[in-house]
Amino acid sequence: FTYFSLLGSASSQSMRKFSCVTLSTKQLNIQNLVNYEKQQVPTNAIMFITAKGIRICVSADQRWVQNAVKRIDERRAAK
């Protein structure tokens, strides 16, 4: 078995191909989010990546989004 880390350099390059066009308005379960990417173009958004590798774009200025980003950063720092 080969395991791929979502935090590896190869995956961060491939993620750049995705850009947020439509934004989800529903709040996501922070427990399911393993990574995120900030985007300014075409809209100010956060792209969350779930444990299953699903990418979900949300508006960056929602409070729960900022909390989720903080939680992911804390989890990364703890490793």
Side-chain angles (χ1 to χ4, degrees), residues 15-44:
M15 279 183 210
R16 288 202 170 75
K17 296 189 194 104
F18 293 89
S19 65
C20 295
V21 181
T22 57
L23 301 180
S24 171
T25 52
K26 69 175 195 238
Q27 185 165 339
L28 307 171
N29 182 348
I30 294 176
Q31 300 301 324
N32 294 338
L33 306 176
V34 293
N35 206 346
Y36 70 89
E37 197 173 291
K38 291 181 177 163
Q39 298 196 333
Q40 272 82 41
V41 183
T43 179
N44 189 19

Side-chain angles (χ1 to χ4, degrees), residues 2 9 15 18 31-32 40 43 46 63 65 72 76:
T2 310
S9 56
M15 279 183 210
F18 293 89
Q31 300 301 324
N32 294 338
Q40 272 82 41
T43 179
I46 300 286
R63 176 166 288 173
V65 172
I72 292 170
R76 276 190 203 159

Side-chain angles (χ1 to χ4, degrees), residues 35-65:
N35 206 346
Y36 70 89
E37 197 173 291
K38 291 181 177 163
Q39 298 196 333
Q40 272 82 41
V41 183
T43 179
N44 189 19
I46 300 286
M47 180 192 295
F48 284 120
I49 296 108
T50 69
K52 292 180 180 170
I54 298 165
R55 293 171 169 84
I56 303 158
C57 295
V58 294
S59 174
D61 50 18
Q62 297 177 80
R63 176 166 288 173
W64 76 264
V65 172

Side-chain angles (χ1 to χ4, degrees), residues 36 67-79:
Y36 70 89
N67 288 339
V69 164
K70 208 180 291 180
R71 288 279 293 280
I72 292 170
D73 286 342
E74 286 166 3
R75 262 187 251 158
R76 276 190 203 159
K79 284 183 180 167

